[in-house]
Amino acid sequence: MLTYLARRLLWMLPILLGITLISFVVMHLAPGDVTSTEASFDPRMSSEARERLREAYDLDKPLLVQYGLWLERIVQLDFGKSFAPDATPVIDKIAQHLPITLLINVLAIALILAIAIPLGLLSAVKARSLFDYISTILVYIGFAIPSFWLALMLMIWLGVEQHWLPITGLTSLDHEQLSFWGRTSDLAEHLILPVLVSAIAGIAGFSRYIRANTLDVLCRDYITTARAKGLPESSVIYRHALRNALLPTITVLGLSIPGLIGGSVIVESLFSIPGMGKLFYDSVLMRDFPVVMGILVIGAALTLAGNLLADLAYAWADPRIRRGIGQ
Amino acid sequence: MIRTRQGVLSWPSLLVLMLLSGCQAQDNGPGSTPASLDEPFPPARGGQLRNAVGADASNLIPFIGADSASHEIAGYLFNSLLKYDRNLELEGDLAQNWRISPDGLSITFTLRPDLRWADGKPLTSADVKYTFQTIIDPKTHTPYGSDYTLVKSLETPDARTVVVHYKERFAPALSTWAGLSILPAHILKGQDINATPFSRQPVGSSYYRLGNWVPGQRITLKDNPLSTGGRPLISAINYRIMPDPAAQFLELSAGSLDQMSLTPVQYTRVFPAREDLRARYNTYKYLGNNYTYLGFNLKRPPFNDRRVRLAINYAIDKQELIDGVQLGQGLVIAAPFKPGTPWYPRDLQPYPYDPRKARALLAEAGWIDHDGDGVLDRNGRPFHLEIVTNNANESRQLAATLIQRRLKEVGIDVQIRLVEWASFLSQFINTSNFDAVILGWSLSLDPDQYSIWHSSEQGPGKFNFIGYSNPKVDQLLEAGRREMDPQRRAIIYQNFARELHKDAPMVYLFAPYSLVAVHKRVRGIEPAPAGIGYNIEDWYIPRPLQNISIQR
């Protein structure tokens, strides 16, 4: 097991290096750089000033030299400074945006699991019943609704018309003056809509996934055996079927880790939430290369780590795979 | 600066606006009934203004943070030597008065007495000197240093006097000093201006000082009791960072914002249809400082032929563009200046819509539909024209589509290409690789447009990317920069505008109106040629309307 882990970890290094090289090259293939973005298209800006800025950002050097310089910094875990006028260290920028996106996505995943697992399971157990049909229809609607549309409808209904929930932002203007519980409930109120909107498509997809898996497991011989032994149906479902039906979800959860930090541009823009999705999108538009690379590297590292964790969790949960690794 | 880019989600925004115009939100505006909003109340100190801004500020040192959000916030914090008043004329800001030497080569500014920074330290000519030296320092990451390349030296004989000597006469000089926010030397001296914590904890001298800044969420400004121009009446300004214009409008509908720029759809369709909004908000309309144009690549045939450019000018119905794109909220112009300013020649008329004249001009230039396919041709080559513009600007796309139809009517086949902004600049503009572009220029308050029109300003990264070259215009632009007498200078620029009009290097499509909604609880607003924000210190919120539930 340990050799397996060591081998996997060692493999991750060249993969990560490859990802960074490709990302770096692809990003620099996009025309334009930070000196040719909106704020700089100003008749007061002379071309000499633009050249000076390019020099200051090392953009006048050949691409491979730029990559070398970047790599040299990154092995010392220095992600560099943003090209934006704030010149904030990239790592600080990410640290500022990441917790917000993490919070929303962790809550969204919790909501997805809490609703999708029972829903999928029940649909499978009651396959082809009225409940199954209705939940199928609802799930497909949830899948098909564009999240920006749903968000706007909820904002209009719950925010503008009913005044039940805040429409945008993470906290109220008077947040700092509130008591601890006041602050907590203020934050919770602000999170309801973004978390709900982030979760809707996931609930739909995930519950279908669980339903299919459970149906698959319910046809297996050991379930027939369990039933033949006269075990009560609840025991057959919850003790024998559920665990096996949930196994593949470990993989799905592992794969959702990069999504946890990637954030969503649409939800974050609509709800005015300063998360990673918005940061990434703005950085790409601004050609803020250090920030884009920082997010890509962290994203890639987390994707690889997520895959590894999913494999390990899988091995832990399923003895067959464990044995395979041992060989 | 070009004005571009609506939000990233402009089409959903449109959708929600259409939906909103049909749904009536119930009116429970914050803490006040619509009736009390119309009552006259005396001015009072206190209250807070709730604003929204589309992006977080990046750097509050004004000449480094070039983005519009930083500019807006920093505008409340810092003063310049001079400023533009309600009628867009220069007046003293930190300077009590100024004097130009008879040879036009020196300007002497005298600062007001007893100026203070928000931290209580005196503001002196040393601060002006420090700011000047910093902006011209090649190590400073600023695009704006070139405004001061003609300055030979800057002297500070005493704490209240600043004397600037120029290498040659430079008429836009005063305007450059109105654009330079003075920074505190006592805090910044010895620091690296590109990486100073001051950019996020600024100390200024103007009406407000920075209160609380929660990155990505909100920026709060508090009144500055030591302000140069006296203490403002409104105690705090709260900026919430809201990238999506649709979300901003929802907050306005919910009564949680005091002020917002409106789109033409919101101004002309949504507001008239929604009683609840009209009960709570006043709307204002004034001419902005920008215009949208169709620019030709003058180096490329057939656009190097004046007759072809004139023909296209006659073939485009500008009023139709204003009605279709701006829903009527714009003005047809005939010169690259704001109408009503001294440099805009009053007698100059825009080219009218006249397709017959357009066809005649095209025929004169040799463009005739020989093969009867509906597209003009000359020497066997059909008249194709590609219009390039940036993809995130809906009004430019609409304008391109309307132009496409009108030009088709006179036999010109138009293709439209929409490109992402940074690619647009690097692949098309900087390399002058286009037939025609739709773009906009924001106008500075000084009439000098040397960098846009002078023939020497061509080349990669320069702003005369349409390749305009006219010795007479060059001469007028040079004369305009040297003429210190305002009246003679105005005549020079009027002649420049006439010459441009005759040459028609671009089609001025329209100058859009700025449309703003402000909550009725905010009083003291007096619309003027400068817009509404010039007297922010006199705005007030009457005491009965100050206590509102802050934000839901």
Side-chain angles (χ1 to χ4, degrees), chain B residues 195-212:
Chain B
T196 165
F198 184 86
S199 64
R200 297 190 83 79
Q201 298 145 20
V203 174
S205 54
S206 196
Y207 296 111
Y208 290 90
R209 60 206 158 101
L210 188 68
N212 188 15

Side-chain angles (χ1 to χ4, degrees), chain B residues 276-289:
Chain B
D276 62 311
L277 284 175
R278 274 180 290 131
R280 276 182 285 159
Y281 290 90
N282 287 317
T283 51
Y284 299 90
K285 164 172 155 176
Y286 52 90
L287 200 58
N289 281 328

Side-chain angles (χ1 to χ4, degrees), chain A residues 31-32 36 38 41-45 50 52 85-86 148 153 161 163 168 171 173 176 189 270 272 281 287, chain B residues 2 4 8 12 19 26 28 58-59 138 146-147 218 240 244 247 251 420-421 425-426 461 463 551-552:
Chain A
S36 68
E38 180 173 15
F41 197 61
D42 186 324
R44 288 166 64 202
M45 179 173 183
R50 192 192 309 270
R52 271 211 307 276
D86 58 3
F148 79 86
M153 289 303 108
E161 291 184 2
H163 289 266
T168 57
T171 53
L173 289 180
E176 276 80 20
E189 276 183 9
L270 277 173
S272 308
Y281 181 79
R287 307 288 194 263
Chain B
I2 266 206
T4 56
V8 287
L19 288 163
Q26 69 191 65
N28 42 0
S58 59
N59 186 321
S146 48
D147 275 351
R218 59 177 176 272
R240 295 186 50 214
D244 184 42
E251 290 284 18
E420 185 260 351
W421 182 250
L425 289 190
S426 62
F463 294 103
Q551 175 217 328
R552 264 326 317 243

Side-chain angles (χ1 to χ4, degrees), chain B residues 165-464:
Chain B
H165 299 288
Y166 281 83
K167 293 175 197 157
E168 54 191 79
R169 287 156 73 100
F170 184 55
L174 289 176
S175 141
T176 66
W177 294 103
L180 182 66
S181 300
I182 304 302
L183 302 175
H186 71 276
I187 299 177
L188 282 163
K189 214 153 200 172
Q191 290 193 30
D192 173 9
I193 193 83
N194 301 312
T196 165
F198 184 86
S199 64
R200 297 190 83 79
Q201 298 145 20
V203 174
S205 54
S206 196
Y207 296 111
Y208 290 90
R209 60 206 158 101
L210 188 68
N212 188 15
W213 183 353
V214 186
Q217 296 189 48
R218 59 177 176 272
I219 301 173
T220 309
L221 306 171
K222 288 185 192 151
D223 61 346
N224 171 15
L226 298 175
S227 154
T228 303
R231 196 172 181 179
L233 289 171
I234 294 181
S235 299
I237 302 181
N238 242 305
Y239 270 97
R240 295 186 50 214
I241 295 145
M242 302 177 65
D244 184 42
Q248 279 190 27
F249 194 71
L250 288 178
E251 290 284 18
L252 192 84
S253 301
S256 323
L257 277 184
D258 283 324
Q259 195 182 350
M260 176 185 171
S261 288
L262 300 178
T263 62
V265 177
Q266 288 162 345
Y267 184 85
T268 55
R269 304 256 164 89
V270 182
F271 258 79
R274 295 249 322 251
E275 175 86 27
D276 62 311
L277 284 175
R278 274 180 290 131
R280 276 182 285 159
Y281 290 90
N282 287 317
T283 51
Y284 299 90
K285 164 172 155 176
Y286 52 90
L287 200 58
N289 281 328
N290 55 313
Y291 67 92
T292 301
Y293 64 87
L294 173 75
F296 304 108
N297 187 344
L298 303 167
K299 301 268 182 225
R300 219 179 246 191
F303 310 106
N304 51 0
D305 186 336
R306 176 174 167 268
R307 290 167 300 185
V308 172
R309 300 196 298 266
L310 275 184
I312 294 178
N313 227 316
Y314 280 116
I316 295 172
D317 185 349
K318 284 101 179 173
Q319 192 56 46
E320 174 190 63
L321 287 176
I322 291 175
D323 293 341
V325 177
Q326 290 292 117
L327 302 174
Q329 304 308 313
L331 215 60
V332 185
I333 54 168
F337 296 119
K338 184 168 170 164
T341 52
W343 8 96
Y344 191 102
R346 286 183 193 177
D347 54 322
L348 209 59
Q349 291 302 319
Y351 290 105
Y353 172 57
D354 190 343
R356 202 177 315 166
K357 204 161 182 175
R359 276 189 218 103
L361 278 164
L362 286 166
E364 200 186 312
W367 291 97
I368 295 162
D369 185 7
H370 293 96
D371 52 7
D373 65 348
V375 178
L376 302 176
D377 51 89
R378 195 178 66 174
N379 303 333
R381 282 189 51 199
F383 199 149
H384 291 306
L385 159 63
E386 186 181 69
I387 297 179
V388 193
T389 192
N390 56 314
N391 62 354
N393 190 309
E394 213 166 342
S395 68
R396 290 184 194 156
Q397 292 173 31
L398 287 171
T401 312
L402 290 171
I403 291 171
Q404 183 182 40
R405 190 190 70 148
R406 285 299 177 197
L407 292 189
K408 192 180 174 192
E409 284 173 3
V410 295
I412 300 173
D413 172 46
V414 175
Q415 304 290 319
I416 299 170
R417 188 196 283 224
L418 306 174
V419 190
E420 185 260 351
W421 182 250
S423 316
F424 176 50
L425 289 190
S426 62
Q427 290 203 307
F428 294 91
I429 298 297
N430 291 344
T431 54
S432 287
N433 173 29
F434 58 85
D435 293 337
V437 287
I438 297 183
L439 274 175
W441 282 119
S442 253
L443 303 167
S444 77
L445 297 173
D446 187 87
D448 177 40
Q449 298 192 3
Y450 187 91
S451 58
I452 299 176
W453 299 102
H454 198 274
S455 53
S456 67
E457 295 294 308
Q458 298 177 30
K462 297 203 169 186
F463 294 103
N464 184 358

Side-chain angles (χ1 to χ4, degrees), chain A residues 14-31:
Chain A
I15 294 177
L16 204 57
L17 200 67
I19 293 175
T20 60
L21 181 63
I22 293 170
S23 310
F24 200 88
V25 171
V26 167
M27 199 171 48
H28 282 77
L29 281 181

